[in-house]
Amino acid sequence: GGQRRAVSLVLAALASPATAAAATGSTYYVDCSQTADGSGTQASPWNSLADVNGHAAFQPGDVIYFAQGTNCSGTLEPLGSGTSASPITLDSYATTANHDRPVINGGSGIAALVLSNQQYWTVQNLEFTGGAYRNIWVTGNTANTTYSGFTFNNLYVHDTQDFPASNSAWLTDAGGQKCPNRETPPPA
């Protein structure tokens, strides 16, 4: 039909990490290795992606930190939009001597990360694997709307489930534009 959708992406895989967020945002913590679910603070982190997905819309300047060296299973679908001055940030934090990137493993779900009808997100210092058709999916379904302000820094993105292979990509937008599914170098 006559609907037009566009997603403007800034891919800065080797750029220096962006400043976390404006002072007005809230900070949340996720540690998927914890057996008990917490309240999202550093002392009592959430222990699953369901907590992030079930949270009310995140606000401009909010930061969601994932514990380094942990593996979270499922599709990450946080809600909310940032602004050009205060994006919402997904990032990692150190909990022990293990400084491996946190892993978001989408398994056979639609994607490891879905950002739908949203804008101004910074995603950095994480690893994304799995997802039936894509690792990271930025999409929207509002006619004549451009979704802007997506920045991706220092990510390790790999192993889309890859079926069918012709549709596989690590990042796709609402218009079907794809970044080819290729492994980025493993973390140093």
Side-chain angles (χ1 to χ4, degrees):
Q3 293 187 352
R4 242 180 115 204
R5 297 177 293 262
V7 176
S8 173
L9 301 174
V10 177
L11 299 175
L14 299 176
S16 60
T19 304
T24 58
S26 298
T27 304
Y28 303 90
Y29 293 86
V30 182
D31 183 344
C32 291
S33 70
Q34 296 294 307
T35 55
D37 196 18
S39 60
T41 65
Q42 189 168 10
S44 179
W46 290 328
N47 71 349
S48 73
L49 297 179
D51 293 309
V52 180
N53 296 346
H55 186 272
F58 291 99
Q59 299 300 309
D62 284 356
V63 181
I64 303 105
Y65 285 110
F66 291 84
Q68 291 177 348
T70 61
N71 188 330
C72 297
S73 296
T75 298
L76 176 59
E77 296 184 75
L79 301 175
S81 286
T83 64
S84 59
S86 274
I88 300 170
T89 301
L90 300 174
D91 203 345
S92 67
Y93 74 102
T95 57
T96 64
N98 185 341
H99 296 291
D100 291 340
R101 288 182 182 98
V103 176
I104 310 298
N105 187 339
S108 61
I110 190 74
L113 171 63
V114 176
L115 297 172
S116 180
N117 296 312
Q118 294 162 276
Q119 338 193 56
Y120 297 102
W121 280 79
T122 296
V123 182
Q124 59 192 22
N125 305 314
L126 300 170
E127 179 175 342
F128 293 95
T129 187
Y133 297 105
R134 52 193 66 88
N135 298 110
I136 298 172
W137 188 21
V138 177
T139 186
N141 62 9
T142 303
N144 302 310
T145 300
T146 299
Y147 300 96
S148 301
F150 299 93
T151 303
F152 300 92
N153 292 311
N154 195 30
L155 302 177
Y156 179 37
V157 181
H158 59 98
D159 295 325
T160 302
Q161 293 294 318
D162 211 19
F163 45 81
S166 62
N167 288 334
S168 179
W170 77 264
L171 174 73
T172 57
D173 68 25
Q177 297 298 310
K178 298 186 264 187
C179 291
N181 187 19
R182 60 181 175 265
E183 287 198 17
T184 56

